[in-house]
Amino acid sequence: MTTTTPSSSSGASSSSGAPSTLAGNSEPLTHFKITLRRSAIGLPQRYKATLESLGIWRRMQTVFMPHSPEAAGKILRVKELVEVQNVPASLVRTKAEQRQERKAPRGYVVVDRMLA
């Protein structure tokens, strides 16, 4: 015989619907993760200038911006070109950190140096 609790008997997800936190994580979402998915080639200069003001120069480039009305307005102007996610401050990466994460590991390990 199986016993179910009232919360698990419903088919709904356990998310509380709060936009300020991740499900299962109590850390607040404080930044936008913006990735350019579509090129701005052939679009008016207004769109290109908006992307430039967001700090995006090429396709598949990702930038992080803190939540602000200015950032939200810029994102809305180019919403057809970008993918946006809300992330906590702990997941924000600088340009150098993103580059380091993409680097392949070295193909060798230095065991011992002959010169000492």
Side-chain angles (χ1 to χ4, degrees):
M1 184 181 327
T2 309
T3 307
T4 59
T5 60
S7 64
S8 66
S9 63
S10 67
S13 66
S14 63
S15 175
S16 65
S20 63
T21 60
L22 286 173
N25 189 357
S26 61
E27 192 173 1
L29 303 175
T30 59
H31 287 73
F32 293 118
K33 178 181 178 183
I34 309 164
T35 303
L36 182 61
R37 295 293 181 187
R38 306 273 316 236
S39 174
I41 294 174
L43 293 177
Q45 185 61 34
R46 173 183 107 141
Y47 292 99
K48 295 176 185 179
T50 302
L51 290 172
E52 195 172 311
S53 70
L54 285 170
I56 301 174
W57 302 95
R58 59 184 59 92
R59 277 188 72 233
M60 306 308 285
Q61 181 180 2
T62 300
V63 295
F64 293 90
M65 295 196 75
H67 287 175
S68 68
E70 294 83 12
K74 291 175 186 179
I75 291 168
L76 283 175
R77 286 184 80 172
V78 293
K79 63 184 174 285
E80 297 86 6
L81 306 176
V82 298
E83 178 184 326
V84 179
Q85 297 175 345
N86 287 315
V87 296
S90 63
L91 294 180
V92 173
R93 302 286 180 254
T94 64
K95 188 174 180 180
E97 290 171 338
Q98 290 179 37
R99 177 171 290 174
Q100 189 63 31
E101 288 173 359
R102 285 193 308 265
K103 274 189 165 182
R106 293 168 56 177
Y108 61 92
V109 176
V110 177
V111 177
D112 190 22
R113 296 188 183 264
M114 299 299 287
L115 303 172

